[in-house]
Every structure is written in C-alpha cells, then in structure tokens.
Amino acid sequence: MVYTLPGIRLNTLPSISHCVADRRTTVAASSSTNLSVLLRKNSLTRKGKFLAGRSVYEFDSPSFMVAATEKVLVPGSQSDASSSTEQLEALGEDTEDSKISQNEVSLEEEQLDDTTEKDFVTSPVLVEDIAATEEVRSVSLVDIGIESAAIRQMPLPPPGTGQRIYEIDPLLDSHREHLEYRYSHYKKIREAIDKYEGGLEAFSRGYEKLGFTRSETGITYREWAPGAKSASLIGDFNNWNPNADVMTRNEFGVWEIFLPNNADDSPPIPHGSRVKIRMDTPSGLKDSIPAWIKFSVQAPGEIPYNGIYYDPPEEERYVFQHPRPKKPKSLRIYEAHVGMSSTEPMINTYANFRDDVLPRIKKLGYNAVQIMAIQEHSYYASFGYHVTNFFAPSSRCGTPDDLKSMIDKAHELGLVVLMDIVHSHSSNNTLDGLNMFDGTDSHYFHSGERGYHWMWDSRLFNYGHWEVLRYLLSNARWWLDEYKFDGFRFDGVTSMMYTHHGLQVAFTGNYSEYFGLTTDVDAVVYLMLVNDLIHGLFPEAISIGEDVSGMPTFCIPVQDGGVGFDYRLHMAIADKWIELLKLRDEDWKMGDIVHTLTNRRWSEKCVAYAESHDQALVGDKTLAFWLMDKDMYDFMAVDRPSTPLIDRGIALHKMIRLITMGLGGEGYLNFMGNEFGHPEWIDFPRADQRLPDGRFIPGNGNSFDKCRRRFDLGDAEYLRYHGLQEFDKAMQHLEEAHKFMTSAHQYISRKHEGERVIVFEREDLVFVFNFHWHNSYSDYRVGCLKPGKYQIALDSDHSLFGGFGRLDHDAEFFTFEGNHDNRPRSFLVYAPARTVVVYKLVTDAV
C-alpha cells in the first residue's frame, strides 16, 4: 500500500499484518517507491544548564508521578512475595559460560560456573486472556503487545555485591579502590533511578513521556531543551505556523504541548506528516527534528531531513508472527548492511533483504545476523556511524513496519537479529541531529573539547547527565521492545571508556591502563546500566562490545562487579592477519598466530573474526585482495588456468578463516560477501569535497557501483569464488554439528615452526593445519585424547572447495596408544601443503 499524505509518500512493502481484535491475519501487497518529502531549513546556538542526579520531571500529571506508596519490588523480598500473584520465568535458559585459558592447556578438568536462571516474582500481568505463566511465556513471544506488557512486570534484579571479580581475577585486588568506586557509583545511580523514576524498567520507557505520545483524546509532545527561550511545534498539520501551537516550559527546561483530537475524533497530526520544533535561541530561530522522533526522511535532491509523525492505523501496522529464537550457544554472526546488500548498484530495501538475503544467510549456516546502519544517519557514506536520529530506522531502506517484517522473517528462519548500535558518539550535524539541539553545545554532550571527537568529527555524550542516561537507556529498550531485536553490538566502546578514547594509545595489558584517571567512570557505569537493562528485561538478549583495549571485567556480569557484556569483539585477530599478509610465508610464526588467537581473558567470551566491514572499506583491503590482488580480475574462472598467486590465495583464505573460528573465540563473525572473497572494496557514493582548509577530496561521481554485494559471484559454479563460499558454508555447518567454539575441551598439541604445522583439539575434533608453502607430509603423526576411529569431517583441499582433491575421504584413521605431543594417543595422516583437515571421532575404543 502507498500512503499519499501532505508532502510525503510512505510506501509499505509486501508484509503481513495481524489484527489483534479478531486474531486474523491479512496480507497487504504494495509497490516499492522512494520516500519523498518537502522540508525547511534550520538555524542554531546558545548555552544551557547542567542537570544531574535527579529527575527533571515533577509534573502534577499522574503520568509523571511516582506515588509515595509505590515500591520497587525486589525478588525474594517480603513485600514482593505478599503483593504478587504470578511468577514470570526468564524467557529461556542461560547458557553455560565457555572458558578458554590464555595458556595452551586442556580445559576438560576445569569446572565451569553455571549461571542459574533467575525467577522474578512480580505483580499480576495486566492481560485478560492469559491465565498461567507458561501461557505468558509462549504468547508473549508472538504478540509484541503482550510481550511488552509482560516485560513491564519484570523488575530488574537489584545490584549485587560486586565482589566476585576479585575471585575470578585476584590481580584486580590491587585496583580495588578504583573498582569499588566504580561499583558504588553504579549502585548510587541505580538507587536514584529507583527513588525518582520508579526503577530502571520505568526509566527506560522515556519514549512514553518525551517526544510524541498518543492518547484517546489527543497527542502530547514534550521535548527537553533547557537552552531554548521559546518553542513551538510546527509542521504540515498547522501549515508550519509558529504561532499556532506554542509550547510551555517547566522549571527543568521541558517544553510541552497537548493537541486535542479533531472534531471528528481523528488525530490532530495525521500519520506521515512532517514535523519540527522551532526554538528561539540567543543566535536566532532554529528548526530541529524532535530528538525522540521515530521516523525521518530526506526529500530527493535536498540535504536536510524532516521528522515524520509515524502512527499508522492499527490495521496497517505490522504485528510479529514468530517467536524470538533461543540464544545460540555458539554464536555465528553474519554482519550485513541492508542498503548495500543488493547485487545491483542501488540502495536495497528491508523487504528485498528479507526475501533475498536472509534465506541465503540461513543456508550458509549462520545463526545470527548483525544489521548495520539501522539508526537514521543523514550521511550515507558514514556507514551508519554518524547517527542523527537515534530512535528512527533508516528511511532509505523503507518504513519502520518494513523493518519489523524483515526481523520477523529472520525469526521465522531461526536467526537471531543483532543491531549495530551507536551510543559512543553522535553526528555533529546541527540541522538533523542532536548537536546544538537547543542552541547549546552542552545539551546532550560534554561542552568544549571534551565533547568533540577529533578523529571521528563527532560529538561525545555526557554519560553523567540524568537526561542522557534516560535517552540512551530508552533507546536501547526501544529497539529491543518495539522492533524485537535480539541484542546489540555496541560500537566504539573503547572510545567511551577512556577520556583519551583509545587514540594513539598502545594497550600493553598493564592494569593501570584500565583503572585510573583516564577512565571515564560515567561511561563505564552507563555500560553497566544498559547491560543491566538488556539482560534483566530480555534474558535471552545478547550484548557484544567493540573493545580493543582488553579491559578486565568487560564480560563479567554487573552483579559480580563487571561491565556486563556477553562478548568482546576480538579485534586484534584481524590486525594480525593483515600484518602477516604483508610478509612472506617464510616469515610467519606458528606460535605468534596461536598466541594472537588465544590471547584473551579467561572466563570472558570473545567474538572472533578474520575480517569485518572495516577491512573491506575503501582505504583498506580485504583478505582476498591482500592474497590475490589484481589476479582476481582475470583468473577466477575454473575453466581457465590458475596462477600461483590465486592458488596460494584460495588455500590460505580457507585456512585463515577456519583457524580463526577454531581458536579465536566463543563466537565468530563474517561481513557479507567476505565468505567468498568478494572482489574489490566498499566505496559509498561520494561527491567531490572542498574542505575548509582548502584541501580537495575527489569523490566517485556518487556511484553505487562498489556499494553493493555481488552475491552472484559466490553462486556461480564456474567461478572460484563458489568454492570459497562452499567452504565457508561447510565450516558453519561443522560448527553447528559439533559446537567446537564453545567446547570446554581445547588442547593445542603442536606448533612446529620448521614444519609450519599447528594441531589442536576441540570437542571430539582434531584440526591439522599445514601452513607450509610446498612441503606435504605423509604418515604424519598427530596426537589426540580419545581412542577409536577417526574420519575426515572437513577438508579444505576438496575439489568442491577449489582444492586439488589429494585426500581419500573413505579412509579411516585408527589411534595408537602411547604419548605423542603430550597426548595419550595418536594417529597417522597425510597433510598436504597449505591445507587444513579436520578429523572427527566416529567410534569409541573397542
């Protein structure tokens, strides 16, 4: 269906909608068109006051009041037990933490701590058609309204003692003063939120108080803008008349207006209308997109965006049909950008990604998709990292309902959907974003130099500010609750945690680098709070932090004193591979490779990757390009002779990816297209630029040619790309079958520098890597733990994967008793040059 509204056309792509009243489903088909709006220009500036430590909301309105007798229920407390009538179980079982030692020793004798599932006792669920807890559990996963109602009844667990980190890592004891201060500050904020806001759960629903809220009688709009001297709501609905709807301000700088329904009871602001807030600042009038806007669009041919009042009729809203998948024990992430996911030079849509790309991801064997560039960003070439509208999904790819349909399809396929969320900084765009929103530079951000990231050219949040906490915590809650994302990959966490932002700092592992005056405690406490929120209200949700510093306690639960992430992105691995690919094969050190892959903190899980989107961007090179370079243009057809460079590149590409998955972490990530060695780089459409200092930066003619993914190359059986794709697929399915990334059993038995061989065990698998450039080894003895018969489970030299087919897959390998490489048994194999072969135990000892 296509909505034609004043100044805008909103198209909804083919989707399924669910009528709650009669539980019937309908299918609405439509065409795909570009979003089109008209818009106005803005102006700027002034200074405002700092508010922290308390709520700015002390309205007489009941919706803003926390009754004096209202208590925040604590699981297990007397008042909790006496006032509750139902018990909501956590939505799934917590998986056992997989722990891999930094030392290369077997972990089968280590005792792993189980994280017990939490039972929260709550007040009655306010849903009439639910009579039992199990029904809440099942139905809430399907109907977003019921799920949201159930979540509101789940109080977050109170802060713990924060002491277990010293048991996990006794070295932290020497920094106890800093860590105790950090945890006490976290507890102080939690207590203040409980006291003034009714708890973290209620606090994280700021979008129900600020921005546009709809009631039966009309629409209320509120905005926190203490720097403004006057404000009015303008838009299509009042012909952009600044005198028609003048807002009033309270003592804390919150502006408000209520618009009653029209005489025919229709909403005062039609769905799809353009809206802005006009404010008077010392530097003049300024028109801004509301900070809490849920949708914004850009008119074709124009630069600024317009806020859109998005409130479709009930019958046209997408309602989720499929439950969230269970949290995978082994996380295999397909990192994707919807806009550049088409094979054609265009901006792809959520609907096309849903129909074309998601089934591909499932077929490849990944169990999670990480979507980049979801939050609206006015500059497309920022890859989504210069966010302008934090609550709005990117309109380039479709409507909010289109995004919901895409996520629901992923859930139908059993794929976990993670969002690449940006809370580390904000666009410095003053027309469309938060920068200078109320005419001051200290509104959402630190003022002056501290509030500006010189390398990213962006603004930095003041995480010690009460309203910034409300805004960002509500933002995380919004994407989980409204859109049913299953978790986040937090971008730029290193930049958040340190006042130096990790720039020009070489972290050596000295604990003083992590716990000192350069640590931004406010930012770390925010990360603790947001992880509290994510895991407390959505027990199956996943949080991943992009941290290059290696901060201790990063992936330890908050109640134990940690920052609370589930995984750290193991960023050093990709850098190591680029470093090695600049060297000759003869200069590679097996011990160096193994050390980089396994050098991570015990009990803190990591997501490993050989390359992500970072290595694919213009200015860098993918692994495939480092390995094969220009030969990829002429020698990738299987019916044409290869070259030594292509043979080497294809062989090492497979080996690098599997050893990264095998040893690098408890999770694995791949950027779309890299699985088959996507040729060339990513270059977003860019125009020529003339910088203020006079420098000229040439663009690419606004071309989309390199801002797409040529999936057809990986599918073409007549190209060598296909073999790489098939190997990646086999690699994912092997992990799915054996869960070796999270196996407690890991033993690296061989790192031979002369032979260039690495042998290690994971679960019941034995991995044999021969990195030698020409030496193949017959009757090569490899150690193992368990006796019996082994067979080939995966062979990178198989002809299906573009190899030379030198191994017999019907061969059986029987173990011999006797110590070899500190293993109690061994068996003999053929190890061709530049191959990896994985052997699986198929029978026990007889």
Side-chain angles (χ1 to χ4, degrees):
M1 181 177 293
V2 177
Y3 302 113
T4 304
L5 300 159
I8 178 172
R9 283 171 60 84
L10 290 180
N11 58 289
T12 59
L13 298 161
S15 61
I16 300 172
S17 60
H18 182 192
C19 182
V20 176
D22 59 8
R23 304 297 190 199
R24 290 178 297 181
T25 59
T26 59
V27 177
S30 70
S31 61
S32 172
T33 61
N34 291 328
L35 297 172
S36 174
V37 293
L38 303 173
L39 38 84
R40 298 167 65 85
K41 298 196 181 224
N42 305 0
S43 51
L44 26 133
T45 107
R46 179 190 120 142
K47 194 140 180 107
K49 65 180 179 179
F50 179 85
L51 300 173
R54 60 178 295 190
S55 170
V56 301
Y57 300 108
E58 295 182 1
F59 294 89
D60 293 332
S61 168
S63 64
F64 279 79
M65 295 294 290
V66 178
T69 57
E70 184 177 346
K71 297 180 179 179
V72 179
L73 300 181
V74 177
S77 67
Q78 185 176 359
S79 60
D80 179 355
S82 62
S83 64
S84 60
T85 60
E86 284 189 60
Q87 182 170 335
L88 288 179
E89 296 180 349
L91 302 178
E93 299 176 359
D94 291 354
T95 59
E96 182 181 286
D97 287 341
S98 175
K99 303 172 176 64
I100 299 179
S101 173
Q102 292 178 332
N103 298 321
E104 296 141 25
V105 296
S106 174
L107 297 182
E108 58 264 40
E109 295 179 2
E110 293 288 343
Q111 296 298 316
L112 305 183
D113 293 328
D114 290 328
T115 302
T116 57
E117 186 176 42
K118 301 175 179 66
D119 292 327
F120 299 135
V121 182
T122 70
S123 55
V125 179
L126 303 179
V127 182
E128 294 180 357
D129 60 343
I130 296 179
T133 299
E134 282 304 315
E135 194 171 352
V136 173
R137 182 182 177 123
S138 60
V139 177
S140 68
L141 290 173
V142 178
D143 191 307
I144 192 170
I146 296 176
E147 181 189 45
S148 297
I151 290 169
R152 289 168 187 246
Q153 307 305 313
M154 295 175 62
L156 278 76
T161 63
Q163 298 298 303
R164 190 166 178 267
I165 53 173
Y166 306 110
E167 300 174 19
I168 296 172
D169 185 356
L171 293 177
L172 293 172
D173 197 63
S174 59
H175 297 274
R176 184 181 286 268
E177 183 178 0
H178 176 96
L179 291 165
E180 292 295 304
Y181 169 74
R182 183 178 87 178
Y183 203 74
S184 66
H185 187 48
Y186 152 75
K187 291 178 70 174
K188 179 181 178 181
I189 298 297
R190 277 289 305 265
E191 290 166 0
I193 291 173
D194 288 347
K195 180 178 181 180
Y196 295 112
E197 301 287 352
L200 195 54
E201 187 280 324
F203 188 54
S204 66
R205 286 187 276 117
Y207 46 80
E208 294 181 356
K209 297 179 180 179
L210 289 115
F212 293 94
T213 57
R214 175 84 182 276
S215 67
E216 291 184 1
T217 57
I219 296 173
T220 301
Y221 170 59
R222 298 186 183 95
E223 197 74 72
W224 175 62
K229 296 184 292 184
S230 66
S232 59
L233 180 63
I234 56 176
D236 293 326
F237 72 99
N238 64 6
N239 295 318
W240 300 90
N241 182 359
N243 300 314
D245 296 293
V246 178
M247 304 176 71
T248 59
R249 178 190 173 191
N250 77 351
E251 60 180 306
F252 300 108
V254 176
W255 298 88
E256 177 178 353
I257 189 170
F258 175 74
L259 303 176
N261 287 338
N262 298 322
D264 62 357
D265 209 33
S266 62
I269 307 178
H271 164 57
S273 294
R274 298 170 299 164
V275 290
K276 285 193 174 182
I277 178 174
R278 172 166 293 182
M279 293 174 284
D280 182 16
T281 73
S283 59
L285 294 178
K286 181 180 190 296
D287 293 351
S288 296
I289 296 175
W292 298 72
I293 200 72
K294 306 304 189 299
F295 195 46
S296 65
V297 298
Q298 182 184 40
E302 297 188 21
I303 295 175
Y305 274 64
N306 261 277
I308 301 298
Y309 179 73
Y310 194 86
D311 187 22
E314 189 73 28
E315 66 274 10
E316 295 173 356
R317 297 178 184 176
Y318 188 87
V319 178
F320 291 90
Q321 303 296 307
H322 304 285
R324 301 178 190 263
K326 297 282 291 182
K327 182 194 299 184
K329 183 177 182 182
S330 297
L331 193 61
R332 301 185 301 278
I333 303 170
Y334 197 82
E335 185 183 39
H337 184 289
V338 172
M340 56 172 293
S341 64
S342 173
T343 57
E344 301 300 321
M346 57 177 276
I347 297 179
N348 208 11
T349 65
Y350 297 124
N352 289 344
F353 189 90
R354 175 195 67 199
D355 297 337
D356 301 334
V357 184
L358 287 177
R360 167 183 295 276
I361 297 171
K362 177 66 175 180
K363 184 178 179 181
L364 286 172
Y366 291 85
N367 56 22
V369 55
Q370 180 177 300
I371 308 295
M372 306 178 64
I374 289 296
Q375 296 166 291
E376 188 60 88
H377 47 291
S378 62
Y379 184 44
Y380 190 46
S382 75
F383 222 125
Y385 289 121
H386 281 203
V387 176
T388 46
N389 310 117
F390 283 78
F391 286 83
S394 179
S395 59
R396 295 178 180 88
C397 302
T399 68
D401 288 287
D402 295 331
L403 174 58
K404 291 178 181 179
S405 175
M406 185 193 84
I407 294 171
D408 201 26
K409 178 62 177 181
H411 288 170
E412 180 186 4
L413 294 171
L415 296 172
V416 165
V417 186
L418 305 176
M419 176 178 168
D420 200 342
I421 196 168
V422 182
H423 282 181
S424 52
H425 62 132
S426 174
S427 171
N428 68 357
N429 182 329
T430 58
L431 294 179
D432 309 317
L434 296 179
N435 188 23
M436 304 292 292
F437 181 82
D438 68 345
T440 75
D441 76 336
S442 58
H443 187 198
Y444 284 94
F445 312 107
H446 288 291
S447 62
E449 184 178 343
R450 189 179 177 189
Y452 179 73
H453 197 296
W454 61 267
M455 179 173 284
W456 294 347
D457 188 26
S458 57
R459 296 303 312 274
L460 300 173
F461 287 105
N462 179 356
Y463 301 101
H465 201 295
W466 193 261
E467 290 308 307
V468 173
L469 290 179
R470 186 195 308 276
Y471 188 80
L472 295 178
L473 289 170
S474 298
N475 187 243
R477 166 75 175 271
W478 172 253
W479 294 110
L480 293 172
D481 203 350
E482 180 71 14
Y483 287 90
K484 293 176 72 74
F485 278 98
D486 301 299
F488 301 110
R489 178 265 201 186
F490 281 83
D491 171 69
V493 175
T494 301
S495 174
M496 296 173 66
M497 295 192 299
Y498 307 97
T499 55
H500 53 60
H501 311 302
L503 299 176
Q504 300 174 333
V505 175
F507 291 96
T508 65
N510 187 315
Y511 279 27
S512 298
E513 298 169 342
Y514 308 113
F515 311 118
L517 296 178
T518 60
T519 304
D520 189 334
V521 174
D522 286 336
V524 176
V525 167
Y526 165 69
L527 294 172
M528 296 166 72
L529 290 169
V530 76
N531 277 305
D532 252 1
L533 178 78
I534 293 168
H535 297 120
L537 298 184
F538 302 86
E540 288 287 282
I542 299 165
S543 66
I544 303 168
E546 185 194 35
D547 171 41
V548 71
S549 74
M551 174 180 273
T553 77
F554 191 76
C555 293
I556 294 176
V558 175
Q559 61 266 31
D560 295 333
V563 183
F565 284 98
D566 293 308
Y567 297 88
R568 169 189 277 114
L569 215 57
H570 200 337
M571 302 174 70
I573 297 175
D575 293 338
K576 173 57 67 175
W577 287 124
I578 299 301
E579 174 189 322
L580 290 176
L581 290 177
K582 295 177 181 179
L583 305 175
R584 303 178 307 159
D585 290 21
E586 293 89 333
D587 297 324
W588 289 22
K589 303 297 182 184
M590 301 300 100
D592 187 30
I593 293 172
V594 169
H595 174 75
T596 301
L597 292 170
T598 58
N599 183 26
R600 55 189 186 274
R601 299 190 60 79
W602 178 79
S603 84
E604 300 193 36
K605 295 186 288 188
C606 287
V607 172
Y609 59 95
E611 55 183 341
S612 68
H613 68 275
D614 288 330
Q615 286 72 40
L617 287 167
V618 125
D620 207 334
K621 293 170 70 173
T622 63
L623 293 182
F625 242 39
W626 276 109
L627 287 163
M628 295 176 280
D629 206 16
K630 60 183 178 62
D631 278 23
M632 295 178 71
Y633 296 117
D634 299 312
F635 300 101
M636 293 299 281
V638 296
D639 60 350
R640 296 185 60 182
S642 183
T643 67
L645 199 64
I646 290 293
D647 290 342
R648 172 183 181 268
I650 288 177
L652 289 179
H653 195 274
K654 292 178 285 188
M655 297 179 71
I656 287 171
R657 304 181 87 76
L658 185 53
I659 197 169
T660 298
M661 175 182 266
L663 287 178
E666 294 77 15
Y668 177 79
L669 178 142
N670 166 66
F671 180 68
M672 62 179 187
N674 287 353
E675 70 275 7
F676 60 83
H678 197 289
E680 297 187 327
W681 49 85
I682 299 168
D683 191 10
F684 280 80
R686 294 177 291 109
D688 295 343
Q689 282 185 300
R690 178 75 65 178
L691 300 182
D693 61 7
R695 285 182 297 158
F696 175 74
I697 301 179
N700 60 11
N702 288 309
S703 171
F704 284 87
D705 184 62
K706 291 181 174 59
C707 192
R708 54 175 171 153
R709 293 285 89 177
R710 293 292 306 275
F711 292 120
D712 53 314
L713 299 179
D715 293 341
E717 296 183 9
Y718 56 86
L719 296 177
R720 303 185 199 277
Y721 298 108
H722 182 70
L724 293 177
Q725 179 170 282
E726 287 299 306
F727 180 78
D728 194 88
K729 178 179 176 182
M731 189 171 79
Q732 305 304 323
H733 285 280
L734 179 71
E735 208 290 323
E736 173 64 25
H738 294 272
K739 300 292 190 296
F740 57 79
M741 285 195 301
T742 53
S743 169
H745 174 58
Q746 171 183 302
Y747 194 94
I748 301 168
S749 60
R750 194 165 187 82
K751 299 174 297 181
H752 200 288
E753 300 296 347
E755 296 172 348
R756 295 296 199 276
V757 172
I758 297 173
V759 179
F760 61 86
E761 302 165 19
R762 297 302 305 268
E763 208 246 1
D764 285 342
L765 302 176
V766 177
F767 294 72
V768 181
F769 288 82
N770 180 5
F771 280 96
H772 205 283
W773 48 97
H774 62 72
N775 283 353
S776 298
Y777 305 109
S778 299
D779 292 333
Y780 193 85
R781 188 175 297 275
V782 297
C784 64
L785 174 65
K786 296 183 179 180
K789 180 175 67 176
Y790 287 79
Q791 289 182 335
I792 294 175
L794 181 60
D795 166 22
S796 69
D797 197 47
H798 196 288
S799 57
L800 176 64
F801 309 138
F804 296 100
R806 289 169 284 183
L807 294 176
D808 179 5
H809 283 242
D810 293 326
E812 298 176 337
F813 306 86
F814 293 91
T815 59
F816 301 87
E817 295 295 321
N819 186 283
H820 180 75
D821 285 343
N822 293 320
R823 309 311 286 148
R825 298 166 186 88
S826 61
F827 57 94
L828 301 176
V829 301
Y830 175 46
R834 286 186 179 141
T835 64
V836 52
V837 184
V838 183
Y839 299 87
K840 64 179 179 180
L841 180 69
V842 292
T843 61
D844 294 328
V846 294

